[in-house]
Amino acid sequence: EAEVAQSPRYKITEKSQAVAFWCDPISGHATLYWYRQILGQGPELLVQFQDESVVDDSQLPKDRFSAERLKGVDSTLKIQPAELGDSAMYLCASSSPSGGNEQYFGPGTRLTVT
Amino acid sequence: QQQVKQSPQSLIVQKGGISIINCAYENTAFDYFPWYQQFPGKGPALLIAIRPDVSEKKEGRFTISFNKSAKQFSLHIMDSQPGDSATYFCAASRRSSYKLIFGSGTRLLVRP
């Protein structure tokens, strides 16, 4: 069964350091999403890609966060510099119009900023 | 502004019982309502979803009931099992954007 892949699964970093997360969506899924989930809350969308183009980054803190999907396949989310409040689970999801745009999530990257 | 309100925050049910989780939404432009199940340390997994042209959808032990006029929808888990113990999230989106707006989650515990 096809799955969304994410790495690393866990990341501990110090405040003010840079950190990057990687996501490989389900093959053929043109739409890719990055969500942030704070412990005890529901996921919140950070950025949405359609192929290589950003279609929604209204909730992305652009002073420190960046995201790219250069070839329209895998994607990288970067934080620089990391702050204590960035500690959360970062989830990647993907969807396809042929699948009714149902979003399938990866296992997530648990980030702890110390 | 919380666009999707979910209740209860936590729920304890005996094995074999019915678990019911409720959600209410504000934006009448929403036209897709999925439910996700999440185990600790894992990503959310899509359970079942409904569109507003039907009032109920059933898949195995899971049923979504949808009330368009009240802007409410609920998840019913029949014959609840200890393995169903997890956090459940409702969500909503518009066909034009596909951006999911999640509820705050319900932590379900099914006692043996």
Side-chain angles (χ1 to χ4, degrees):
Chain A
E1 182 176 306
E3 295 180 341
V4 175
Q6 288 188 248
S7 67
R9 293 294 312 280
Y10 305 92
K11 181 70 178 178
I12 299 174
T13 191
E14 293 183 346
K15 177 182 171 183
S16 80
Q17 294 299 304
V19 63
F21 314 129
W22 177 80
C23 171
D24 191 13
I26 293 172
S27 178
H29 280 196
T31 310
L32 184 147
Y33 315 79
W34 283 101
Y35 288 84
R36 177 169 60 185
Q37 184 177 26
I38 296 170
L39 192 64
Q41 299 182 18
E44 292 185 330
L45 183 71
L46 290 174
V47 61
Q48 177 181 341
F49 288 93
Q50 179 66 34
D51 298 309
E52 67 276 8
S53 300
V54 173
V55 296
D56 187 344
D57 63 356
S58 58
Q59 299 303 309
L60 187 71
K62 298 181 189 63
D63 57 335
R64 298 185 300 107
F65 286 64
S66 64
E68 61 182 17
R69 193 184 183 198
L70 294 177
K71 297 183 179 179
V73 181
D74 59 339
S75 175
T76 302
L77 178 69
K78 297 179 180 178
I79 307 174
Q80 182 174 18
E83 296 182 353
L84 296 177
D86 296 332
S87 294
M89 175 79 89
Y90 290 83
L91 294 161
C92 179
S94 68
S95 68
S96 167
S98 62
N101 279 299
E102 294 177 343
Q103 292 186 30
Y104 296 93
F105 284 80
T109 296
R110 168 69 66 186
L111 172 67
T112 301
V113 182
T114 62
Chain B
Q1 181 184 13
Q2 187 179 4
Q3 297 191 53
V4 180
K5 295 182 179 180
Q6 183 171 347
S7 63
Q9 187 174 13
S10 61
L11 181 62
I12 300 175
V13 174
Q14 289 296 126
K15 177 182 176 181
I18 302 173
S19 303
I20 302 174
I21 304 171
N22 301 297
C23 281
Y25 63 97
E26 300 170 0
N27 190 341
T28 55
F30 288 150
D31 57 7
Y32 174 68
F33 304 90
W35 284 91
Y36 283 83
Q37 178 190 58
Q38 186 174 30
F39 293 103
K42 306 291 186 183
L46 180 63
L47 260 183
I48 186 172
I50 197 168
R51 297 195 185 274
D53 51 342
V54 296
S55 60
E56 186 174 282
K57 183 175 181 180
K58 182 176 180 179
E59 290 184 1
R61 297 185 294 110
F62 300 93
T63 299
I64 298 179
S65 296
F66 184 80
N67 186 328
K68 187 174 181 179
S69 61
K71 294 189 289 185
Q72 295 176 348
F73 58 109
S74 59
L75 176 69
H76 295 231
I77 305 175
M78 311 300 287
D79 186 27
S80 298
Q81 299 296 312
D84 296 332
S85 297
T87 300
Y88 293 80
F89 292 95
C90 62
S93 73
R94 294 183 296 165
R95 193 183 301 269
S96 60
S97 74
Y98 308 121
K99 169 183 176 179
L100 286 174
I101 306 298
F102 283 86
S104 53
T106 296
R107 181 175 290 185
L108 171 66
L109 175 63
V110 181
R111 294 195 188 279

